[in-house]
Amino acid sequence: MANGFIGFKHTLAFMTQLARNNDRDWFADHKDRYESDVMEPALQFITAINPQLARFAPEFEAIPKKIGGSVMRVYRDTRFSRDKSPYKTNLGIQFRHSLGKDVHAPGYYLHIEPGDVFIAAGLWRPERAALAGIRDLIVKKPLEWKRARDASSFRRHFELAGDSLMRVPRGYPKAHPHVEDLMRKDYIASCALSDGAIQSATFVKEVARRFESASPLMTFLCKGVGVPF
């Protein structure tokens, strides 16, 4: 594998074809293309962004490994799904907190799918204790939350996303100034990117720059779940 990242040149083309041929025989016949067009640039990207993350988010890990690293599995979990297609038709790369166990931990994320390329930062479906910690901090430090959520550097690139409850969670004030944020089930922010952006060697720097702009949000969330940022 080459050390330098030159862009995700052929990743979208492979994913487009995989979406049309989502079966084990086709994937087996094209496994070499998956390795060269998807996995190799993914590992190059992770290696290249590692020193960038270390500069502004040293607690988050960029691990260039095929298994057990930052690249998410291409294999779908079909046990509880009506859709039995065996493979994901997107490339997911996650940079989790060093204390995190899974995708529900604080982290940064890159999603590459034809027509749907984006980056994200925050917590997706945090476990109960982490969710309570964030909500409690919003209640105790409303101005601190507002500064993090509305920071101009953050808002320039990201917008808050994810699902919310239909009503205020039990035990939290209905009249709180940030009651809508207390109702969130996800504390994530996303930033859409173009399909063409990922094909440039400068994509690493662009993603790192945008990840860094999410530092106000990530600092608050890490504080809420009791881990260092």
Side-chain angles (χ1 to χ4, degrees):
M1 184 187 74
N3 291 326
F5 174 77
I6 61 171
F8 290 97
K9 300 294 186 183
H10 308 292
T11 304
L12 291 174
F14 180 87
M15 289 300 176
T16 298
Q17 293 181 22
L18 177 59
R20 296 171 180 165
N21 304 276
N22 200 330
D23 64 74
R24 292 180 174 83
D25 289 340
W26 186 90
F27 191 82
D29 289 342
H30 296 81
K31 186 67 179 295
D32 57 338
R33 284 190 55 216
Y34 172 75
E35 292 292 335
S36 64
D37 296 352
V38 180
M39 184 59 72
E40 184 172 331
L43 297 178
Q44 291 172 351
F45 177 87
I46 295 164
T47 299
I49 205 171
N50 185 40
Q52 301 278 353
L53 279 177
R55 177 175 54 82
F56 63 85
E59 298 293 337
F60 292 82
E61 298 181 324
I63 306 172
K65 293 170 56 179
K66 293 182 180 181
I67 300 174
S70 296
V71 182
M72 300 182 74
R73 286 167 50 87
V74 69
Y75 305 100
R76 294 183 62 251
D77 184 351
T78 61
R79 291 174 298 172
F80 309 107
S81 174
R82 292 183 179 180
D83 181 2
K84 299 302 179 181
S85 302
Y87 304 105
K88 299 174 185 175
T89 55
N90 68 274
L91 168 63
I93 299 175
Q94 58 180 338
F95 306 108
R96 293 200 304 267
H97 196 281
S98 59
L99 299 179
K101 298 177 182 179
D102 53 33
V103 294
H104 305 284
Y108 299 91
Y109 176 69
L110 167 63
H111 182 97
I112 294 178
E113 185 174 5
D116 188 21
V117 176
F118 66 88
I119 58 174
L123 283 93
W124 177 76
R125 292 293 189 274
E127 59 184 14
R128 183 177 299 178
L131 186 59
I134 295 168
R135 287 172 174 166
D136 290 347
L137 189 59
I138 292 174
V139 170
K140 294 175 183 176
K141 303 284 186 179
L143 293 179
E144 187 175 322
W145 166 248
K146 187 176 186 299
R147 285 194 296 267
R149 183 197 63 190
D150 298 342
S152 59
S153 60
F154 169 62
R155 285 293 193 179
R156 189 175 300 119
H157 301 296
F158 288 91
E159 60 181 25
L160 292 174
D163 295 331
S164 294
L165 299 169
M166 297 297 293
R167 54 178 61 88
V168 181
R170 183 178 300 176
Y172 292 92
K174 295 181 180 180
H176 192 274
H178 306 309
V179 65
E180 291 186 358
D181 292 322
L182 295 176
M183 294 166 62
R184 294 184 181 277
K185 294 192 288 186
D186 304 306
Y187 285 90
I188 57 173
S190 66
C191 172
L193 300 169
S194 69
D195 285 8
I198 69 171
Q199 300 185 38
S200 170
T202 64
F203 185 59
V204 172
K205 289 184 177 181
E206 181 61 25
V207 170
R209 184 174 69 87
R210 298 193 185 211
F211 278 166
E212 186 173 9
S213 75
S215 293
L217 175 73
M218 295 298 284
T219 299
F220 186 94
L221 296 180
C222 286
K223 184 176 180 180
V225 302
V227 297
F229 176 72

